[in-house]
Amino acid sequence: MKLVIIGGSAHSTPNLFAHAPLREAADDLEIVLAGRSEERLAAVARAIRSIDDAHPLHVSCERIDAASGMPAFRGADIILCQARYGGYEARSSDETFPLKYGMCGDEGLGAGGLAAAWRAWPPLRVTLEWIRRDCPAARVILMTSPVGILTRCALAAQPDLSIAGICELPWTTLREACACAGADAHRAAFEYAGVNHIGWLWDVAVAGLDVTARYAAARAESDGFPDRELIDRLQAIPLKYLAMHYDVQPVLHAQRSAARPRGEILAELRDRAYDVYERGDARAIASTMALRPTPWYEHAIAPLIAGYAGLQSSIPYFLTVRNAGHAPEFDADDVLEIPHRMADRELAPVARTGAIPPHISAALEPFVAYERAAADGVSRRDLSAIARAVQIHPWVSDPSVAALVAAEICA
């Protein structure tokens, strides 16, 4: 099975192969790292090869050439798109410029996420054209932020490709709730609705135990978001990024008080990591990898790729895909985050057992409408459409700033 990683020169990439499922599939896995810097690709490949002598991984590197495309795509079975267009420097901007407009800053949500989408779509669109030309049967996994908007753009531009965004957060949230209740998350029944990073779990139960209620009862004030009162009021467990929706002022205060944005800290880790990857021994490389936690690899990407290689896993995968009737409350062409399970190397949505509660559907719909409008503006490169998308975002309390925000995004 051939795996191509776009953005394979990211300093976090070796962490993907630190997880046992992929090492167990090593004999059947051909890995191609694709990126713009030959030096960084070589450093990352060296780090990957140092991970486990008992399960050597077959890694090669391919420099992305905008003129000739990507020969490495030919014969690819899985293409993981994790490129960070603009690097951590752009992420720092995404995390900070929304603050002056009274909005929380984030690399994948709100105005910051829309700026990332505007920046990422042109090169990602070209990448998808290469994929359609050279390996149209490949499974394309999108991790480039913002997953929701970019998956909408990708599905509209290349409807015949197999494209899905993926995120570990609903699963790790479910794991945390079940662990708090003393229950096994692998045996949990649950309902879920959301878009990437904005979602709610409800009716979580294991062998008759009401996990949602048990988790709420165990939440202390010091545990942070979500607190007991909110879970009880919603009768659901919101994902952590919904703090920017329900607890706006505390989040804004924390972000404005931060000494520097997260992007700057990660840029420093990145630069130190390449130096170690180029010259360090296996122990130094492992210590450096541990400085950058990567739960998306451990709890989503690694098990998914291993599943495609034939290894069985009982975890649910939360994929950003077309609704296609899964949630009748939304249009079939809307793009939602939907839980899937894998059997015999094929993914299928987890069957719904009931309707989305009205209060959750009402909270989710504005985010879906926003992503619909944002994807349209990003795809058409239309400043006025971007302004309209900003104006309808649930976090924009003053619609008069929409034009200013849009101009900054598109600059």
Side-chain angles (χ1 to χ4, degrees):
M1 187 174 73
K2 183 175 180 179
L3 167 66
V4 178
I5 304 179
I6 307 298
S9 58
H11 76 282
S12 60
T13 302
N15 293 50
L16 171 59
F17 303 97
H19 302 297
L22 281 194
R23 296 204 301 276
E24 291 173 19
D27 290 342
D28 298 320
L29 198 59
E30 175 191 355
I31 304 158
V32 181
L33 307 180
R36 293 172 297 172
S37 168
E38 292 178 352
E39 293 78 12
R40 289 181 172 182
L41 287 169
V44 170
R46 182 177 182 269
I48 292 171
R49 295 188 188 104
S50 77
I51 290 172
D52 189 347
D53 291 336
H55 297 90
L57 291 158
H58 311 288
V59 185
S60 62
C61 301
E62 182 85 32
R63 184 176 179 277
I64 293 175
D65 186 336
S68 61
M70 277 289 300
F73 283 156
R74 297 187 188 111
D77 299 290
I78 299 176
I79 298 173
L80 173 61
C81 295
Q82 62 171 31
R84 182 182 293 280
Y85 299 101
Y88 288 126
E89 293 73 18
R91 171 175 171 165
S92 293
S93 172
D94 297 341
E95 292 170 329
T96 53
F97 88 84
L99 300 179
K100 62 188 174 187
Y101 299 106
M103 288 180 276
C104 297
D106 187 78
E107 64 165 330
L109 295 171
L114 186 49
W118 180 267
R119 187 170 60 244
W121 176 240
L124 181 57
R125 178 183 56 79
V126 173
T127 298
L128 293 170
E129 290 171 357
W130 292 340
I131 293 171
R132 183 190 62 186
R133 181 190 68 191
D134 293 336
C135 52
R139 295 179 173 97
V140 181
I141 305 169
L142 282 183
M143 269 183 40
T144 296
S145 187
V147 169
I149 294 172
L150 291 177
T151 300
R152 273 187 175 270
C153 293
L155 289 170
Q158 299 293 346
D160 295 328
L161 293 181
S162 173
I163 300 171
I166 190 168
C167 184
E168 87 291 349
L169 184 58
W171 169 233
T172 56
T173 303
L174 182 64
R175 280 168 49 95
E176 178 185 345
C178 288
C180 188
D184 182 0
H186 293 84
R187 298 174 54 220
F190 63 90
E191 293 288 346
Y192 178 79
V195 293
N196 182 245
H197 285 180
I198 299 290
W200 297 259
L201 289 153
W202 71 94
D203 287 351
V204 183
V206 177
L209 174 68
D210 186 341
V211 171
T212 306
R214 183 71 64 90
Y215 180 60
R219 297 293 289 174
E221 185 174 341
S222 60
D223 292 328
F225 183 87
D227 61 21
R228 176 177 182 172
E229 186 277 331
L230 180 62
I231 298 172
D232 284 341
R233 175 160 57 87
L234 296 174
Q235 290 296 289
I237 303 169
L239 301 187
K240 67 178 183 180
Y241 286 97
L242 278 164
M244 290 184 278
H245 183 67
Y246 292 114
D247 284 350
V248 179
Q249 293 307 316
V251 174
L252 274 174
H253 176 74
Q255 291 184 343
R256 287 169 171 158
S257 302
R260 53 184 180 154
R262 175 69 172 157
E264 287 187 11
I265 297 169
L266 292 174
E268 289 185 2
L269 288 176
R270 173 198 64 195
D271 295 342
R272 294 207 305 267
Y274 288 132
D275 185 62
V276 174
Y277 293 171
E278 287 174 3
R279 289 179 281 274
D281 59 19
R283 179 174 294 183
I285 290 171
S287 297
T288 301
M289 289 167 54
L291 296 175
R292 174 66 164 129
T294 52
W296 54 91
Y297 287 148
E298 179 180 2
H299 298 296
I301 299 294
L304 179 65
I305 294 171
Y308 281 135
L311 299 181
Q312 297 301 312
S313 172
S314 61
I315 75 169
Y317 301 96
F318 289 80
L319 304 182
T320 297
V321 292
R322 285 192 185 91
N323 178 27
H326 179 78
E329 298 88 346
F330 294 89
D331 293 344
D333 283 341
D334 276 330
V335 173
L336 304 178
E337 192 168 58
I338 297 173
H340 287 65
R341 292 194 185 273
M342 181 175 285
D344 299 324
R345 306 189 186 196
E346 293 295 332
L347 287 163
V350 176
R352 297 281 305 281
T353 61
I356 301 174
H359 66 288
I360 292 178
S361 182
L364 176 58
E365 207 291 321
F367 288 102
V368 175
Y370 158 74
E371 290 198 350
R372 189 186 305 128
D376 175 67
V378 166
S379 297
R380 294 195 291 113
R381 317 307 289 167
D382 187 323
L383 175 60
S384 60
I386 293 296
R388 287 194 295 273
V390 172
Q391 195 169 32
I392 67 171
H393 193 286
W395 298 346
V396 176
S397 58
D398 181 5
S400 68
V401 306
L404 295 173
V405 173
E408 189 155 353
I409 287 170
C410 299

